[in-house]
Amino acid sequence: MKTLFLAWQDSNTRKWFPIGRLTYNGEDYQFSYVKGAIEAQAECSFNGLYSFPDFNKVYSSKIIFPLFFNRIMRRSRPDYKNYIERLNIDENEDEPINILARSGGRKATDTLEMFPCPILGENGLYEIKFFARGLRYLPSSSIERILKFEVDESLYLSHELQNYFDSKALILCTKDRHIVGYCPRYLNNDFFELIQENPIGIKVKVERVNLAPTPLQQRLLCNLTAEWKSGFSPFSGDEYQPIIDDADVDYHVA
């Protein structure tokens, strides 16, 4: 079972909320709302997505829902191969769920973003790949340093204590003390828990560097591994839990 979470950003407060969960078991896609949607409704008047109007339903389909399919480049595009390469996805693994997990499914026309739920790897480790954030706020010297990266080069996490927008912001740094980006905000809670358990067990490596004209938000792909301690569960906060456990299936495409 592969699981992606869907986050929504309020255009006024700029605050992000996890609002839904998309799963794929190899045969069926399912979408349901999580409790973060209720929080978004209470704080920012979030009224649900047009494609999924009912908070209390599980939507099921044999094919990926249009809302998500429209966030993936068509295979017929001449630049599709380059698109998959910069996401560092093998051609035989370019399923929609894998592409969305890596790309985030961001569009300029809305404020939605997707991210994967990590699973326990065969090596017993927590592992997740992500693109470094915030590169547009960095000086040119940081971008130049990124261009010099080699695959598997080590990066280091640092807590930006005085970040006004995110008290748990984690900076990605090099050994020679260049700041080269931020961890995605949705990973910070899990990363802090892993750091507190075994700080030296967390390893961040450069997975891939994409050159211009690749957008800045997809320039630096990182891979983080950590010891998966007993009892640990990623995204265990209440906001990530489904609104209802046993819901009627409302939508089906054969």
Side-chain angles (χ1 to χ4, degrees), residues 106 113 131-135 172 180-186 217:
R106 295 291 299 271
E113 181 177 1
F131 283 104
R133 304 302 177 90
L135 271 65
L172 293 162
V180 292
Y182 289 80
C183 291
R185 71 199 168 280
Y186 52 79
Q217 61 266 30

Side-chain angles (χ1 to χ4, degrees), residues 6-46:
L6 178 66
W8 170 81
Q9 185 183 39
D10 177 57
S11 57
N12 294 319
T13 65
R14 310 300 296 170
K15 183 175 180 179
W16 285 91
F17 300 85
I19 59 166
R21 184 176 66 178
L22 177 71
T23 62
Y24 181 60
N25 63 7
E27 294 183 0
D28 299 294
Y29 292 92
Q30 287 195 343
F31 177 83
S32 59
Y33 284 100
V34 295
K35 293 180 181 178
I38 297 176
E39 182 181 347
Q41 184 181 53
E43 291 188 24
C44 302
S45 301
F46 173 70

Side-chain angles (χ1 to χ4, degrees), residues 171-188:
I171 302 171
L172 293 162
C173 306
T174 63
K175 189 175 183 179
D176 52 348
R177 294 181 172 80
H178 284 271
I179 295 174
V180 292
Y182 289 80
C183 291
R185 71 199 168 280
Y186 52 79
L187 294 173
N188 289 344

Side-chain angles (χ1 to χ4, degrees), residues 72-247:
I72 301 170
M73 183 181 287
R74 304 294 188 269
R75 289 183 177 179
S76 58
R77 288 269 299 268
D79 52 345
Y80 179 79
K81 184 177 180 180
N82 291 336
Y83 170 68
I84 294 301
E85 285 180 352
R86 73 171 183 252
L87 296 177
N88 212 31
I89 296 175
D90 292 338
E91 288 188 32
N92 61 346
E93 295 182 353
D94 61 339
E95 295 180 344
I97 199 84
N98 293 335
I99 294 174
L100 290 169
R102 190 66 52 81
S103 71
R106 295 291 299 271
K107 294 181 69 175
T109 53
D110 63 27
T111 56
L112 298 174
E113 181 177 1
M114 307 189 75
F115 51 92
C117 182
I119 59 174
L120 181 62
E122 294 180 358
N123 53 7
L125 295 177
Y126 173 108
E127 181 175 1
I128 191 166
K129 294 177 173 59
F130 60 88
F131 283 104
R133 304 302 177 90
L135 271 65
R136 61 176 174 165
Y137 303 112
L138 301 180
S140 58
S141 58
S142 293
I143 304 302
E144 292 170 4
R145 180 65 179 87
I146 290 172
L147 295 176
K148 297 177 182 178
F149 277 148
E150 296 182 0
V151 173
D152 287 334
E153 186 169 341
S154 293
L155 299 175
Y156 303 89
L157 299 177
S158 178
H159 183 196
E160 193 175 49
L161 289 166
Q162 294 176 303
N163 187 304
Y164 176 78
F165 299 100
D166 184 358
S167 62
K168 289 188 174 181
L170 289 170
I171 302 171
L172 293 162
C173 306
T174 63
K175 189 175 183 179
D176 52 348
R177 294 181 172 80
H178 284 271
I179 295 174
V180 292
Y182 289 80
C183 291
R185 71 199 168 280
Y186 52 79
L187 294 173
N188 289 344
N189 284 335
D190 277 4
F191 286 1
F192 264 89
E193 186 174 348
L194 294 167
I195 289 169
Q196 290 171 359
E197 183 68 22
N198 183 10
I200 63 173
I202 292 186
K203 308 294 182 185
V204 186
K205 302 284 188 179
V206 173
E207 180 85 5
R208 180 182 174 90
V209 174
N210 293 312
L211 305 179
T214 301
L216 282 174
Q217 61 266 30
Q218 291 185 349
R219 289 284 179 88
L220 175 58
L221 182 63
C222 306
N223 182 55
L224 181 144
T225 58
E227 179 185 356
W228 190 299
K229 65 183 178 69
S230 177
F232 172 77
S233 179
F235 299 119
S236 58
D238 191 58
E239 67 271 27
Y240 291 102
Q241 307 314 307
I243 292 177
I244 48 175
D245 293 323
D246 298 312

